[in-house]
Amino acid sequence: MSLSDSFSIPDVAESDHDEVDSLPSTSTESFTSEDDYDAQKEWEQSLEQLQLLLTMILVPFAGKYLGRKFAYWSWARYMEWMHNVEIKWTNKATFKAAGAAQAAATL
């Protein structure tokens, strides 16, 4: 056995490619009427809009809000540990609202 034989890639059988080709897919032939096709198209568009809403608005907002919350929490813990300073939030509701407003301001 030579060195080049140990690095050879085995040939892929044609049946492996057929498995990928046989995956179910939506085509216009599978719908019984034009109404079913339109309903499926509207459903796919609404799913795409929900996905865009999540990825473009909700996830970044939640990440910024939770990131700021963690940053303030870790900063307070560091100041208490390193400099022996007690950090108190005087009004937690106002603090949370300000954090949400700051996170939403740059979106």
Side-chain angles (χ1 to χ4, degrees):
M1 180 176 201
S2 69
L3 184 60
S4 64
D5 291 337
S6 64
F7 293 112
S8 63
I9 299 173
D11 292 333
V12 178
E14 288 297 321
S15 63
D16 292 342
H17 294 296
D18 292 338
E19 290 176 11
V20 174
D21 294 337
S22 67
L23 290 174
S25 62
T26 308
S27 67
T28 57
E29 299 163 358
S30 65
F31 296 112
T32 57
S33 69
E34 189 70 27
D35 292 337
D36 290 341
Y37 177 73
D38 291 340
Q40 179 67 25
K41 194 157 186 79
E42 284 183 31
W43 174 253
E44 290 172 358
Q45 287 176 349
S46 66
L47 285 178
E48 185 177 344
Q49 289 174 353
L50 283 173
Q51 180 184 8
L52 285 173
L53 176 71
L54 281 172
T55 58
M56 299 290 227
I57 297 172
L58 295 178
V59 171
F61 175 76
K64 286 178 86 174
Y65 179 74
L66 294 174
R68 288 173 193 260
K69 222 173 146 90
F70 177 75
Y72 287 127
W73 176 84
S74 60
W75 175 78
R77 295 300 169 260
Y78 171 76
M79 291 300 285
E80 288 174 358
W81 172 69
M82 190 67 168
H83 302 292
N84 212 14
V85 175
E86 185 177 350
I87 305 296
K88 281 192 167 192
W89 311 116
T90 55
N91 190 347
K92 287 191 177 192
T94 305
F95 178 71
K96 287 181 181 181
Q102 284 178 349
T106 58
L107 287 179

